[in-house]
Amino acid sequence: MSEKNAVLVSLNDDVQEIIQLADTMNYGIVKTFIQHKKLPDTNSYIGPGKVDEIKKFIDEQEKDSVNLVIVDGELKPSQWFTLEKKLKLDVYDRIRLILAIFEERADRKEAKLQVKLAQLQYERPFVRELIHRAKAGEHPGFMAGGEYQVDDYYEMIKKQMRKIREDLEKIRDEREIRRRHRHTSGFYLVSLAGYTNAGKSSLLNLLVGEKVKVDGKLFSTLSTTTRKINDKLFPILLTDTVGFIQSLPAWVIDAFHSTLEELALADVVLLVADASENRDIIEKKLRVSLKELIEIGVVSPVIIVFNKIDLLSKEEIQDRISYLHETGLLENKKIITISVKNRENLDMLLDLIHDSLPHMSKLKLKLPINEKTHSFISWIYEKARVSDVSYNDYITISVDCNTEIKDKIISKCNELDGCII
């Protein structure tokens, strides 16, 4: 996709993330306008003088060389209308830009439904503003392309949202059935979380030995991806989830509820952070991520995984960890530093996951030696951790297992004329 050009508008100098978001949509920023204000201007977000300055810049450029105005903030409908009318260009605020990225990245039915629900939720107040303007005698353009009269479109939005919520509820019910089956089959559920582009998908690829899509842009993962970890000790399913980002409204997060609930229901959550970033950026992103985990309802153990340590010296790593300890963010948290690229400390990570798994049951079985017993032992190896096995006149096997599967093991043992010792 060829690069398009955009003008960026912000109320502060911290524009690194919005530039990354623009790059993800293949927009190059040709000019950044900073209007230092604590609060946005009521009418135009940035004030009339700055609007005139931006308008002058756009008019001086070659025709169609600037395609978009990006505002690093959340616009009210009246502010959006004023900016589009004066600048004669499409204006995207931060939320609309993120939703455009979501739309481009959604590749499965559930993700597409979630994105569409969020977009409709976003559009509602803007459509109300257009209805108001039209009744006042103005003839505004329309973000949906003008296929419908704005009042008809507003009613269609409400109907579509109801239908999408019903469809997502069905998908959620189906996922719950699958999740219950996995638990009763002896699997532990571990979920990956973290700020977008922290390296979650790369870590999943390494732990499961597969190739899930990874690229250097934001929000490469919108749908959940679940795979079995290549781990001889425990049957663990690892799920990758959509990345966090700051200042997302609650209704956007709510649209992704059925995906994010994988975090709330996991036995362990791995919160992945990019250790190579400046320590204040790591702190900010960790705060956003931990806040989101609390709001989603995560109560399971959280392991903070600092990735990309191959880009740092030992002194730099220690400096970051010490700084984060001082902020209080790491209090009562298990932490580990890894490098997915160099496969560094992955065994330590697996050990930490094992130590954090809940409800471990220990069993010692005494079994007769026959063909059915050997099949049973193979089944145990798939469903639990075998810590010891010995062969004499009978087979003795020691097992650590999920409590969900404990009764199944005991029942099968009794069926084979074995016993628990």
Side-chain angles (χ1 to χ4, degrees):
M1 189 187 296
S2 61
E3 187 178 89
K4 300 155 285 187
N5 293 322
V7 167
L8 176 60
V9 180
S10 176
L11 299 184
N12 59 69
D13 297 310
D14 184 11
V15 294
Q16 180 182 353
E17 187 168 273
I18 194 72
I19 289 173
Q20 281 184 288
L21 288 166
D23 178 63
T24 298
M25 284 297 291
N26 292 290
Y27 278 99
I29 303 300
V30 294
K31 179 78 171 175
T32 299
F33 292 90
I34 308 292
Q35 177 75 322
H36 292 104
K37 293 172 74 74
K38 288 186 177 179
L39 293 172
D41 177 77
T42 305
N43 296 318
S44 62
Y45 192 80
I46 47 175
K50 187 62 73 171
V51 173
D52 290 342
E53 184 184 339
I54 296 168
K55 171 68 173 160
K56 183 173 182 291
F57 173 80
I58 292 170
D59 289 344
E60 288 172 350
Q61 308 308 302
E62 290 183 21
K63 184 176 171 58
D64 298 327
S65 62
V66 178
N67 316 100
L68 185 68
V69 176
I70 297 173
V71 177
D72 188 14
E74 193 171 346
L75 291 175
K76 293 178 180 177
S78 58
Q79 294 167 332
W80 163 78
F81 180 86
T82 297
L83 289 173
E84 285 213 341
K85 185 178 180 182
K86 291 192 174 182
L87 299 177
K88 302 290 190 291
L89 277 177
D90 287 337
V91 176
Y92 278 32
D93 66 3
R94 176 186 170 82
I95 306 304
R96 191 175 175 191
L97 182 62
I98 289 172
L99 291 178
I101 295 169
F102 284 179
E103 182 178 28
E104 188 175 87
R105 296 297 175 116
D107 57 356
R108 297 185 199 167
K109 179 183 177 182
E110 182 180 23
K112 289 177 180 178
L113 286 171
Q114 289 169 327
V115 171
K116 187 62 180 173
L117 180 61
Q119 286 176 322
L120 291 171
Q121 188 90 336
Y122 174 85
E123 284 183 14
R124 284 177 70 180
F126 289 88
V127 175
R128 279 198 299 266
E129 177 72 14
L130 293 172
I131 293 171
H132 169 73
R133 299 278 178 171
K135 286 179 177 177
E138 298 188 56
H139 300 283
F142 187 46
M143 56 170 49
E147 187 178 347
Y148 304 90
Q149 292 292 323
V150 286
D151 49 352
D152 293 338
Y153 188 77
Y154 188 75
E155 289 305 312
M156 190 193 77
I157 283 178
K158 291 196 289 188
K159 289 178 183 175
Q160 271 194 292
M161 287 177 68
R162 278 197 298 272
K163 177 67 167 62
I164 290 171
R165 285 196 174 106
E166 289 170 6
D167 290 344
L168 284 173
E169 192 61 35
K170 289 176 186 174
I171 294 172
R172 185 180 177 186
D173 291 343
E174 290 167 3
R175 179 185 280 117
E176 175 58 28
I177 292 169
R178 289 197 301 273
R179 190 187 295 115
R180 236 183 349 250
H181 174 71
R182 288 163 179 167
H183 258 302
T184 55
S185 298
F187 283 99
Y188 283 100
L189 305 178
V190 175
S191 286
L192 290 162
Y195 213 82
T196 184
N197 213 29
K200 301 187 306 298
S201 297
S202 297
L203 179 56
L204 180 134
N205 282 340
L206 190 56
L207 291 175
V208 306
E210 290 192 21
K211 255 301 177 201
V212 175
K213 177 184 176 183
V214 175
D215 63 32
K217 295 194 175 183
L218 304 183
F219 297 111
S220 58
T221 302
L222 279 190
S223 307
T224 56
T225 302
T226 301
R227 299 288 188 273
K228 186 176 184 296
I229 287 184
N230 291 330
D231 179 16
K232 296 176 182 176
L233 298 181
F234 289 107
I236 296 174
L237 292 173
L238 185 64
T239 298
D240 194 6
T241 58
V242 61
F244 299 138
I245 196 163
Q246 68 175 340
S247 304
L248 269 189
W251 53 264
V252 175
I253 296 167
D254 185 60
F256 284 82
H257 176 81
S258 58
T259 298
L260 292 171
E261 71 179 2
E262 293 285 343
L263 293 168
L265 298 168
D267 294 308
V268 176
V269 173
L270 304 182
L271 177 54
V272 184
D274 182 350
S276 70
E277 294 184 305
N278 292 336
R279 63 187 197 177
D280 57 328
I281 293 176
I282 299 172
E283 179 193 358
K284 182 178 76 172
K285 291 184 176 182
L286 271 182
R287 285 193 188 281
V288 170
S289 300
L290 289 166
K291 179 174 176 284
E292 294 296 350
L293 291 179
I294 291 169
E295 290 183 357
I296 290 163
V298 171
V299 293
S300 302
V302 175
I303 300 171
I304 299 179
V305 183
F306 291 105
N307 186 26
K308 306 186 186 181
I309 60 170
D310 51 283
L311 300 174
L312 301 167
S313 66
K314 288 183 179 179
E315 291 75 19
E316 288 172 321
I317 296 168
Q318 189 53 52
D319 172 70
R320 282 159 171 74
I321 300 297
S322 298
Y323 171 78
L324 292 167
H325 271 296
E326 289 171 9
T327 67
L329 280 175
L330 304 184
E331 190 174 349
N332 300 321
K333 298 286 191 304
K334 296 179 179 178
I335 66 168
I336 187 167
T337 58
I338 69 165
S339 166
V340 170
K341 182 179 178 182
N342 293 344
R343 298 171 168 261
E344 189 174 348
N345 294 343
L346 291 184
D347 287 341
M348 289 172 60
L349 173 59
L350 286 172
D351 288 342
L352 202 52
I353 293 171
H354 297 154
D355 292 344
S356 304
L357 292 174
H359 313 306
M360 291 298 298
S361 292
K362 293 184 178 294
L363 294 172
K364 192 170 186 179
L365 288 64
K366 183 178 177 182
L367 298 163
I369 298 176
N370 57 48
E371 189 174 327
K372 286 186 178 180
T373 297
H374 288 303
S375 295
F376 175 47
I377 291 173
S378 296
W379 180 85
I380 290 176
Y381 269 101
E382 290 178 6
K383 305 294 184 183
R385 177 191 176 215
V386 176
S387 57
D388 185 60
V389 61
S390 61
Y391 293 82
N392 293 301
D393 296 334
Y394 46 82
I395 302 171
T396 304
I397 180 167
S398 297
V399 176
D400 296 327
C401 67
N402 187 327
T403 52
E404 296 280 351
I405 204 171
K406 176 183 175 181
D407 291 342
K408 280 189 180 180
I409 292 175
I410 293 172
S411 176
K412 285 178 180 284
C413 174
N414 293 334
E415 287 174 14
L416 294 170
D417 297 324
C419 63
I420 306 297
I421 56 176

